[in-house]
Amino acid sequence: EPEVTQTPSHQVTQMGQEVILRCVPISNHLYFYWYRQILGQKVEFLVSFYNNEISEKSEIFDDQFSVERPDGSNFTLKIRSTKLEDSAMYFCASSALLAGSYNEQFFGPGTRLTVL
Amino acid sequence: GQQLNQSPQSMFIQEGEDVSMNCTSSSIFNTWLWYKQDPGEGPVLLIALYKAGELTSNGRLTAQFGITRKDSFLNISASIPSDVGIYFCAGQPMYSGGGADGLTFGKGTHLIIQP
């Protein structure tokens, strides 16, 4: 069964460093998303991406965040200058362009980001 | 932003018991989804609901989209040990543009099953 994959599974970085989190969405999906989950809290939406541009972003997704689809398979989230409060699980998700089912977002296993 | 109130926050039940949890919102949603998350893993989609009043089953799981479009419930019948985890409701508000919009998640229901 197709699934969303994410690398790395765990990233440790120093405050102020740049990190890139990588995702490979399900191959026939056209909508891509990033979410984060601070330990013990709910999942929070960051950004959605369709047709090579940002479709929607939340208040969390400020200028230090950016997303990119560098090729036909990868979808990346970059954090330019990490802060301690960026420590969280980051989930990539994707959904298909099918009438009535486009909101069915499938999540990857996540990348645990630890900022020291 | 949008807020989903999910209850109960946690449930301690005996194996074999039925489980019920729900989500409510102050605004109308056009989609309700239920996810399960195991420790250290990503949310796994259980059921998706698109129409007010819709009742959908997936094995021992049953979910309904409330008539008012402001609530949804999830029932699990005859619970088994592998049902342990955190269950999240998630929705997309009525005003949203559709496919590429983010989901709003509830805070989760921790299900703990005692053998």
Side-chain angles (χ1 to χ4, degrees):
Chain A
E1 184 174 334
E3 57 184 20
V4 177
T5 60
Q6 291 185 242
T7 54
S9 57
H10 191 186
Q11 175 87 50
V12 181
T13 189
Q14 295 289 325
M15 187 170 56
Q17 294 296 305
E18 174 183 286
V19 295
I20 298 176
L21 310 182
R22 303 180 190 281
C23 166
V24 178
I26 294 172
S27 62
N28 64 340
H29 285 187
L30 297 178
Y31 296 101
F32 315 119
Y33 313 82
W34 283 102
Y35 291 81
R36 79 171 186 191
Q37 185 180 32
I38 296 171
L39 185 63
Q41 299 187 22
K42 67 178 182 179
V43 178
E44 299 175 291
F45 169 71
L46 293 177
V47 66
S48 61
F49 192 87
Y50 171 69
N51 199 26
N52 287 317
E53 60 182 21
I54 290 175
S55 179
E56 184 194 17
K57 58 183 181 179
S58 72
E59 294 174 351
I60 303 169
F61 193 86
D62 61 24
D63 290 345
Q64 72 161 342
F65 291 93
S66 63
V67 290
E68 190 179 24
R69 185 152 166 85
D71 54 42
S73 61
N74 291 283
F75 180 52
T76 62
L77 174 69
K78 180 191 290 185
I79 309 176
R80 289 186 183 83
S81 179
T82 50
K83 303 190 287 281
L84 295 176
E85 54 265 38
D86 292 328
S87 294
M89 282 288 285
Y90 287 81
F91 294 108
C92 174
S94 68
S95 62
L97 185 62
L98 296 174
S101 68
Y102 54 78
N103 290 326
E104 293 181 10
Q105 297 180 20
F106 296 88
F107 284 72
T111 292
R112 179 172 297 284
L113 176 65
T114 303
V115 182
L116 303 175
Chain B
Q2 297 291 322
Q3 295 287 333
L4 291 184
N5 299 309
Q6 186 171 352
S7 65
Q9 186 175 10
S10 58
M11 301 185 72
F12 294 81
I13 64 166
Q14 298 288 328
E15 183 178 349
E17 288 185 19
D18 296 343
V19 172
S20 183
M21 61 191 77
N22 68 83
C23 264
T24 60
S25 171
S26 58
S27 55
I28 293 173
F29 276 60
N30 67 7
T31 305
W32 284 99
L33 304 117
W34 286 92
Y35 288 86
K36 178 176 183 277
Q37 185 178 32
D38 292 328
E41 299 184 12
V44 174
L45 181 62
L46 299 174
I47 292 180
L49 302 159
Y50 296 105
K51 300 178 183 177
E54 179 181 356
L55 184 71
T56 298
S57 293
N58 178 8
R60 293 179 295 105
L61 277 60
T62 302
Q64 184 160 29
F65 193 144
I67 292 291
T68 64
R69 308 188 74 97
K70 293 182 178 181
D71 63 307
S72 176
F73 72 74
L74 174 70
N75 288 343
I76 305 172
S77 62
S79 58
I80 60 177
S82 61
D83 291 334
V84 166
I86 305 175
Y87 292 80
F88 289 99
C89 61
Q92 193 168 76
M94 181 65 84
Y95 63 79
S96 73
D101 294 337
L103 298 174
T104 299
F105 278 76
K107 292 185 177 181
T109 294
H110 292 242
L111 180 60
I112 299 165
I113 298 176
Q114 298 162 335

